[in-house]
Amino acid sequence: MSLGDMDPEEFRRAAHRVADQVADYLADLERYRVLPDVRPGEIRAQLPSQAPAAGEPMEAILEDYARLIEPNITHWQHPGFLAYFASVASAPGILGEWLAAGLNSNVMLWRNAPASTELEEAMVGWLRALLGLPPAFDGMFTDTASISSLLSIVAARHAVPGLRITERGMEGVRLRLYGSAEMHSSIDKGAIVAGLGRAGIRRIPVDEAYCMRADLLAEAIVEDRRAGWLPFCAVATLGTTSSTSVDPVAAIADVCAREGLWLHADAAYGGAAALLPEMRPLFAGWERADSIVVNPHKWMWTPFDASLLLFRRPEVYREAFSLVPEYLRTADVGAAHNYNEYGVQLGRRFRALKVWFLLRWFGADGMQARIAEHLRLARAFAARVDADPSWERMAPVPLATVCLRYRDAPDDRLDALNEAILARVNASGRIFLSHTRLRDRFTLRVSIGNPRTTEAHLDLCWRLLQEAAKGI
Ligand code: PLP
């Protein structure tokens, strides 16, 4: 038995086979149902209950992968996946991810990841500029928007003058964070982890288009101060998860500036639209935020995971998170980031490589053309809904997600009916939609963000919706 790793020639053969497997997968995704026909526990039952005592040949492992895993996942890459928000791995991104796996560069300190650190600095800069944001923003990649927002809430907490929470803890401090009624649950989680508790989160009502009422934010802050709270952070969501509404970030920035609050912009999904200069007025004011999160792993076709966190005051993150024990001390201080000092993680994945590959392969114009096409497809789909009196559009379509509901039945049956329509469309295996509740009504969502999704898939989606509604 060899005590080393796999023989290089055996690895080469297996790697070619893996490349073929993935290329075949991507070439013919539609041979699979978007949602696999499996019940909970069915896959587990086919896996041995214990790891093998002796090593197995890679051929056997790859055969099991092809038989058991690939057909039984929900296919996020499938062009009929119109649920949630798209999270699609483009081919150039996959190639970058493969190479990053080979290098296994751990991007914690410049010393142990020089090229990876500097490529990350460059990619943060490229993306910032592509989004039309000013050079005053520094930033980094994290795994998810949830973590980008958590880090920002902790930084905002650290930035409150006179508290020194990083040293003293939260005792006796009643911090309050604000976001709209439509804010993502990841912010609640971040606030809970940061020690605010649910009591420290105040949700501000939205207008008829599901956008935060900045006037009510201002009132809430005044009211809370009187009641002994310490308002410290407001979150503007630019592309909410249910309806993709865009909060009035300029008005929220005014309130934050007046009241001395940290402004965090959660543009996890919507931010990608700012790749198009003509879409930037929708986000006007986000350049005044203290921190912004945009997820390349959503609408920028970066293999999961990659979240871009931009911040104006890197020193605040560094003060909040930097701990340098002796074993991490290096002489290379100053010129480049030691990224572990800006967040919770010490070890960090080399995410910049896949971003570099895909930004170069698509080019700015290729990225923009795809975003523009998704916006066009969404508007065309919305127009179909509007033209059919049996259906109702449930929200404006500022981005590439359409919220709709069947309405040609008595009111008290509509929730159940739409739920049944959703189940029927999803059972087709060709299209996968998800749902939400808007104004407490069951609402279907059609979200477009996959470069493989074409007009034909949206025709199919509309036809399946119509057939489902008729058939029930
Ligand atoms: N913020 C918004 C507006 C989202 O829509 C989502 C996910 O869809 C998130 C945050 C969380 O993203 P992640 O899975 O990267 O944590």
Side-chain angles (χ1 to χ4, degrees):
M1 181 200 295
S2 153
L3 294 183
D5 196 359
M6 187 187 268
D7 168 74
E9 286 313 311
E10 187 187 350
F11 175 72
R12 189 186 308 282
R13 279 193 303 279
H16 284 146
R17 195 162 153 192
V18 166
D20 284 340
Q21 180 89 33
V22 177
D24 289 345
Y25 176 67
L26 296 178
D28 190 16
L29 272 161
E30 287 180 77
R31 70 183 180 279
Y32 288 120
R33 299 168 50 82
V34 195
L35 282 174
D37 193 10
V38 284
R39 277 168 298 285
E42 218 172 287
I43 311 300
R44 179 78 192 266
Q46 296 177 66
L47 294 166
S49 60
Q50 286 183 354
E56 299 180 59
M58 188 47 70
E59 288 75 41
I61 302 169
L62 288 172
E63 272 157 32
D64 284 349
Y65 162 83
R67 178 178 61 82
L68 214 51
I69 307 300
E70 190 176 288
N72 292 320
I73 62 155
T74 293
H75 296 278
W76 285 76
Q77 303 276 58
H78 195 295
F81 187 114
L82 305 173
Y84 312 111
F85 288 132
S87 185
V88 169
S90 60
I94 293 170
L95 297 174
E97 188 76 312
W98 283 350
L99 290 169
L103 294 173
N104 200 35
S105 174
N106 183 338
V107 196
M108 53 202 241
L109 297 165
W110 180 87
R111 164 62 33 208
N112 52 35
S116 336
T117 298
E118 293 182 25
L119 189 65
E120 181 160 344
E121 291 174 340
M123 289 310 101
V124 167
W126 283 18
L127 282 170
R128 175 200 54 70
L130 285 172
L131 295 170
L133 285 162
F137 281 99
D138 190 5
M140 64 183 186
F141 292 117
T142 74
D143 55 357
T144 55
S146 304
I147 296 303
S148 295
S149 293
L150 166 64
L151 301 185
S152 300
I153 292 167
V154 172
R157 198 184 70 171
H158 181 80
V160 179
L163 284 186
R164 298 178 52 226
I165 284 174
T166 310
E167 280 77 43
R168 293 198 213 136
M170 289 277 285
E171 204 174 315
V173 181
R174 291 175 73 210
L175 289 173
R176 206 140 221 205
L177 173 143
Y178 305 83
S180 87
E182 295 289 319
M183 171 173 80
H184 191 263
S185 57
S186 58
I187 307 292
D188 299 64
K189 278 198 194 175
I192 291 166
V193 175
L196 272 64
R198 292 197 161 192
I201 304 163
R202 181 157 176 182
R203 285 182 177 266
I204 306 298
V206 292
D207 63 17
E208 67 291 342
Y210 309 102
C211 305
M212 189 203 282
R213 291 266 310 268
D215 56 328
L216 298 184
L217 170 67
E219 282 176 28
I221 293 171
V222 171
E223 187 181 288
D224 281 354
R225 279 202 210 283
R226 275 202 208 108
W229 289 97
L230 183 47
F232 80 110
C233 180
V235 178
T237 311
L238 310 182
T240 57
T241 313
S242 283
S243 73
T244 76
S245 58
V246 177
D247 285 340
V249 61
I252 295 170
D254 287 342
V255 175
C256 288
R258 202 166 58 234
E259 297 288 347
L261 267 65
W262 181 288
L263 173 57
H264 177 62
D266 178 359
Y269 159 69
L275 290 171
L276 289 173
E278 62 270 31
M279 291 298 288
R280 288 181 197 154
L282 190 61
F283 303 131
W286 73 329
E287 71 285 352
R288 291 163 62 197
D290 294 279
S291 51
I292 299 177
V293 53
V294 180
N295 273 359
H297 71 219
K298 284 194 162 66
W299 202 4
M300 283 191 224
W301 321 301
T302 307
F304 196 81
D305 54 23
S307 172
L308 173 69
L309 170 60
L310 295 172
F311 36 65
R312 277 187 171 274
R313 287 183 284 160
E315 70 282 2
V316 178
Y317 288 75
R318 190 142 180 252
E319 283 166 20
F321 290 109
S322 175
L323 292 175
V324 187
E326 190 53 37
Y327 43 83
L328 293 178
R329 204 174 296 285
T330 62
D332 325 290
V333 186
H337 291 79
N338 287 327
Y339 275 119
N340 83 84
E341 292 184 60
Y342 298 81
V344 173
Q345 284 185 283
L346 173 60
R348 299 171 66 257
R349 302 187 59 226
F350 182 13
R351 300 188 176 90
L353 193 62
K354 57 192 171 189
V355 173
W356 190 44
F357 272 47
L358 76 92
L359 289 181
R360 292 184 64 185
W361 190 85
F362 285 112
D365 59 355
M367 304 284 289
Q368 288 166 341
R370 286 164 178 84
I371 299 274
E373 173 64 1
H374 299 160
L375 294 169
R376 186 191 73 77
L377 289 171
R379 284 176 199 141
F381 196 86
R384 283 181 159 177
V385 177
D386 292 348
D388 188 328
S390 299
W391 293 83
E392 175 181 14
R393 191 148 57 76
M394 299 295 287
V397 181
L399 298 165
T401 302
V402 182
C403 294
L404 71 158
R405 154 182 172 107
Y406 187 73
R407 68 166 170 202
D408 202 4
D411 242 17
D412 60 344
R413 288 192 44 226
L414 284 179
D415 274 5
L417 190 57
N418 279 282
E419 212 166 330
I421 291 172
L422 179 69
R424 225 177 238 222
V425 169
N426 289 346
S428 75
R430 303 178 69 193
I431 294 289
F432 174 33
L433 304 181
S434 60
H435 78 280
T436 188
R437 288 193 88 80
L438 289 173
R439 294 203 186 87
D440 203 28
R441 288 179 296 175
F442 192 92
T443 299
L444 310 177
R445 287 169 80 267
V446 175
S447 188
I448 301 156
N450 183 343
R452 295 184 193 92
T453 301
T454 64
E455 197 114 42
H457 299 102
L458 292 159
D459 289 347
L460 172 67
C461 175
W462 184 234
R463 185 159 61 71
L464 290 174
L465 282 166
Q466 304 271 8
E467 285 172 9
K470 278 200 204 96
I472 292 165

